[in-house]
């Protein structure tokens, strides 16, 4: 019976999409393949760690190992044929049982459980066939029920088995080997022979223990790689959400300002008209009431997006450095004060403004101010003593931004930043339909360029490639070696 999924707020386009069949249970064939040590089929999920996928692409490196194992198997087969001669077996039986051991070693590379069964069966057949010959054999007698080639082959098979299958399967195979040895040597027994059962089982136990340990180590490393990959993805996702929440908190003031203006205008409008009708008064009162309700809802949204730091309610910086809740959001008019503060911190800043500034929406002005602020902060943090050029170009379509710094002339200290700089710039520009690019310059500096459309119409980002030559600035200090000995381009993420 199909299982109906719970309602999640999005209706399916057809009844077939609404009723989803229950997930099938793992088939017995798949379970049997796992028990027999078969290689699982390649998964199609996209969450596989990149390191695992990279190693799967280097399967050709296994070929030399396969060749070595095949040569070892051939040597075991030839040595086993010679040792079977001490049992006075027929040539055909000796060759079959000996090459069964060699074939089991090769088969263990892909199917370790069937290889274990083949190796154990060959040993049992050889031991049972040699038992009548042990009667009257001169002392000290041949090795029985395991000879040296059989012990080596079975140990290799158990090692591959322990490396490929779960430990419970390895222990079950070891128990089966020990049980078969006890039945042949302890219950059936022979006349004159050199006992090798206890020694062989002890060797097999050590081999299984080593193989299980290496398998556990490999699984632990794989889980560590997967966990690191998941942690990195979660960190990137959390960083993105934090930047979006920060932008939303700032835009709250812009929206709240417009709603306040609407409320005030709706309240004042009846006094600007002589004898306004009752219907006009009711409509304007409704507009004012809706605006006030919208303001209240915005306050609730801001409470949900509030910063965890009480000293920084807007999430704009470190503790004690944030803006007050009632402080107005910055606009392009405050860029001069921002640049003056940057100069006071030790950077040489040159400004260049082209074109007449139109009346930009508050969101565009806020985003432009934050992008320039973050770029100057990066230059101050990563390129001390450098010279910075801030260029603003106004045109009909929107605002072009460019912040370029030369290579640092002072010692560059490790950055304590959280790595949100470039991400926040791109999120602000994308929100308005623009884009931001950042790249190092040819002379050891760094350049941040961006475009913010005036009307919010998305524009295609520039194609990836080398930066255009007109974006590079050659400052007088570009020919002097940096104090740190190595240029360190500033970014918001501790590297380009």
């Amino acid at each position: 019976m199909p299982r109906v999924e719970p309602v999640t707020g999005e209706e399916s386009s057809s009844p077939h999409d609404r009723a989803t069949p229950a997930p099938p249970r793992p088939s017995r064939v798949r379970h049997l393949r796992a028990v027999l040590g078969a290689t699982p089929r390649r998964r199609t999920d996209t969450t596989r760690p990149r390191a695992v996928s990279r190693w799967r692409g280097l399967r050709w490196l296994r070929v030399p190992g396969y060749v070595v194992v095949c040569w070892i198997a051939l040597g075991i087969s030839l040595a086993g044929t010679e040792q079977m001669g001490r049992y006075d077996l027929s040539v055909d039986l000796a060759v079959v049982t000996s090459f069964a051991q060699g074939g089991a070693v090769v088969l263990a590379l892909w199917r370790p459980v069937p290889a274990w069964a083949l190796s154990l069966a060959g040993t049992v057949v050889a031991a049972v066939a040699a038992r009548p010959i042990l009667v009257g054999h001169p002392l000290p007698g041949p090795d029985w029920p395991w000879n040296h080639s059989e012990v080596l082959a079975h140990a290799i098979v158990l090692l591959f088995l322990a490396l490929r299958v779960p430990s419970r399967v390895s222990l079950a195979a070891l128990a089966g080997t020990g049980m078969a040895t006890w039945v042949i040597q302890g219950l059936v027994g022979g006349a004159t022979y050199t006992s090798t059962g206890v020694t062989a089982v002890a060797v097999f136990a050590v081999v299984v223990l080593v193989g299980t340990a290496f398998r556990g180590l490999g699984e632990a490393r794989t889980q560590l790689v997967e966990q690191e990959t998941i942690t990195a993805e979660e960190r990137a996702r959390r960083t993105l959400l934090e930047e979006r929440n920060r932008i939303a908190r700032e835009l709250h003031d812009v929206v709240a300002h417009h709603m306040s203006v609407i409320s005030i205008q709706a309240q004042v409008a009846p006094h600007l008209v002589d004898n306004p009708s009752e219907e006009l008064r009711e409509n304007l009162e409704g507009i004012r009431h809706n605006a006030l309700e919208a303001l209240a809802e915005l306050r609730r949204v801001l409470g949900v997006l509030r910063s965890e730091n009480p000293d920084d309610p807007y999430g704009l910086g470190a503790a004690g450095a944030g803006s007050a809740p009632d402080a107005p959001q910055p606009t392009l008019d405050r860029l001069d004060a921002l640049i003056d503060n940057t100069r006071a911190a030790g950077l040489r800043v040159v400004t260049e403004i082209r074109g007449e500034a139109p009346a930009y929406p508050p969101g565009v002005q806020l985003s432009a101010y934050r992008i320039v602020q973050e770029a100057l902060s990066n230059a101050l943090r990563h390129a001390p003593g450098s010279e910075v050029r801030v260029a603003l170009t106004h045109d009909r379509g929107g605002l072009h931004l460019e912040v370029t710094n030369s290579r640092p002339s002072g010692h560059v200290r490790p950055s304590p930043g959280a790595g949100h700089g470039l991400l926040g710039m791109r999120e602000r520009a994308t929100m308005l339909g623009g884009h931001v690019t950042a790249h190092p310059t040819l002379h050891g500096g760094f350049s941040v360029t961006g475009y913010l459309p005036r009307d919010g119409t998305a524009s295609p980002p520039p194609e990836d490639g080398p930066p255009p030559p007109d974006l590079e600035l050659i400052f007088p200090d570009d020919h002097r070696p940096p104090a740190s000995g190595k240029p360190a381009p500033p970014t918001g993420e501790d590297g380009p």
Side-chain angles (χ1 to χ4, degrees):
M1 180 178 180
R3 178 173 56 89
V4 179
E5 295 291 336
V7 178
T8 59
E10 297 182 359
E11 297 185 356
S12 302
S13 58
S14 64
H16 176 71
D17 297 334
R18 299 176 184 175
T20 305
R25 297 180 179 179
S27 62
R28 295 182 178 180
V29 176
R30 186 179 304 173
H31 177 70
L32 181 60
R33 285 172 56 87
V35 172
L36 295 180
T39 303
R41 297 180 179 178
R42 181 175 298 180
R43 298 175 297 178
T44 58
D45 58 333
T46 57
T47 59
R48 182 189 303 170
R50 296 181 179 179
V52 178
S53 301
R54 187 183 303 114
W55 281 108
R56 288 189 178 276
L58 301 178
R59 289 188 174 184
W60 61 271
L61 293 177
R62 303 178 182 178
V63 175
Y66 294 159
V67 173
V68 172
V69 172
C70 291
W71 278 105
I72 293 175
L74 179 60
I76 290 175
S77 301
L78 297 178
T81 304
E82 188 274 333
Q83 292 182 9
M84 290 297 176
R86 300 189 62 184
Y87 292 156
D88 294 334
L89 299 179
S90 62
V91 176
D92 295 339
L93 184 58
V95 171
V96 170
T97 54
S98 299
F99 275 84
Q101 300 294 337
V105 171
V106 177
L107 181 61
L109 293 172
W110 295 277
R111 298 292 186 271
V113 174
W116 165 80
L118 177 61
S119 176
L120 184 60
T123 302
V124 171
V125 170
V128 173
R131 181 175 178 274
I133 305 174
L134 299 179
V135 179
H137 197 283
L139 296 176
D143 297 334
W144 190 83
W146 295 88
N147 58 38
H148 296 88
S149 61
E150 291 173 339
V151 171
L152 178 60
H154 203 69
I156 295 176
V157 170
L158 285 177
L159 177 62
F160 288 157
L161 180 70
L163 292 174
R164 294 287 301 278
V165 301
S167 14
R168 65 178 183 276
V169 180
S170 303
L171 295 177
L174 178 61
T177 300
M179 182 64 66
T181 303
W182 176 74
V183 169
I184 294 176
Q185 182 176 341
L187 296 183
V188 178
T192 305
Y193 63 92
T194 302
S195 176
T196 57
V198 177
T199 303
V201 172
V203 171
F204 299 153
V206 173
V207 169
V208 170
L209 179 62
V210 172
T212 304
F214 275 102
R215 173 181 170 82
L217 180 60
E219 290 180 347
R221 290 181 177 178
T222 302
Q223 293 177 359
L224 179 60
V225 172
E226 294 178 352
Q227 186 63 35
E228 289 179 352
T229 303
I230 295 175
T231 302
E233 294 176 353
E234 291 179 350
R235 186 184 302 112
R237 189 180 300 109
R238 183 172 61 252
T239 300
L240 179 61
L241 293 178
E242 289 177 357
E243 284 300 315
R244 289 178 176 177
N245 288 342
R246 176 182 176 184
I247 295 172
R249 286 192 295 267
E250 294 182 359
L251 291 180
H252 164 269
D253 287 352
V254 177
V255 179
H257 171 73
H258 289 296
M259 299 304 299
S260 300
V261 171
I262 293 175
S263 175
I264 295 174
Q265 289 177 344
Q267 185 177 5
V268 175
H271 301 283
L272 302 179
V273 181
D274 294 337
N275 300 322
S277 62
E278 189 65 24
E279 182 178 0
L280 177 61
R281 289 180 178 274
E282 291 179 357
N283 290 335
L284 292 176
E285 182 63 24
I287 294 175
R288 179 175 179 274
H289 179 71
N290 292 334
L292 293 177
E293 286 187 352
L295 279 175
E297 293 296 333
L298 283 176
R299 293 190 185 95
R300 296 189 184 98
V301 172
L302 183 63
V304 174
L305 300 177
R306 65 184 181 275
S307 174
E308 296 180 358
N309 188 355
D311 296 330
D312 188 12
Y314 279 81
L316 302 180
S323 302
D326 55 352
Q329 294 296 341
T331 60
L332 292 177
D333 296 336
R334 298 179 57 184
L335 276 181
D336 293 338
L338 175 63
I339 293 175
D340 291 340
N341 292 336
T342 307
R343 289 170 179 164
L347 287 183
R348 293 167 291 170
V349 183
V350 179
T351 59
E352 182 178 350
I353 300 178
R354 306 186 188 97
E356 294 292 335
Y360 291 111
V364 174
Q365 298 193 45
L366 174 61
S367 297
Y369 180 90
R370 293 302 185 193
I371 291 174
V372 175
Q373 181 186 36
E374 185 64 34
L376 291 176
S377 177
N378 290 341
L380 185 64
R381 183 185 304 114
H382 298 276
S386 62
E387 183 172 347
V388 184
R389 188 187 74 167
V390 179
L392 304 179
T393 303
H394 306 281
D395 58 21
R396 295 182 178 179
L399 175 62
H400 296 266
L401 303 172
E402 178 186 345
V403 181
T404 305
N405 64 269
S406 64
R407 62 185 178 185
S409 61
H411 177 68
V412 180
R413 298 180 179 179
S415 170
H420 298 184
L422 289 180
L423 180 61
M425 295 182 192
R426 294 190 179 102
E427 284 295 319
R428 293 179 185 278
T430 304
M431 173 189 64
L432 298 173
H435 52 79
V436 169
T437 58
H439 54 80
T441 62
L442 299 178
H443 296 272
F446 205 79
S447 178
V448 176
T449 59
Y451 172 73
L452 302 178
R454 179 180 178 182
D455 54 358
T457 303
S459 60
E463 297 181 356
D464 295 336
D470 57 345
L471 293 180
E472 171 60 25
L473 293 180
I474 303 178
F475 295 97
D477 61 346
D478 282 339
H479 301 283
R480 294 181 299 178
S484 59
K486 183 179 180 181
T491 68
E493 299 176 352
D494 298 337

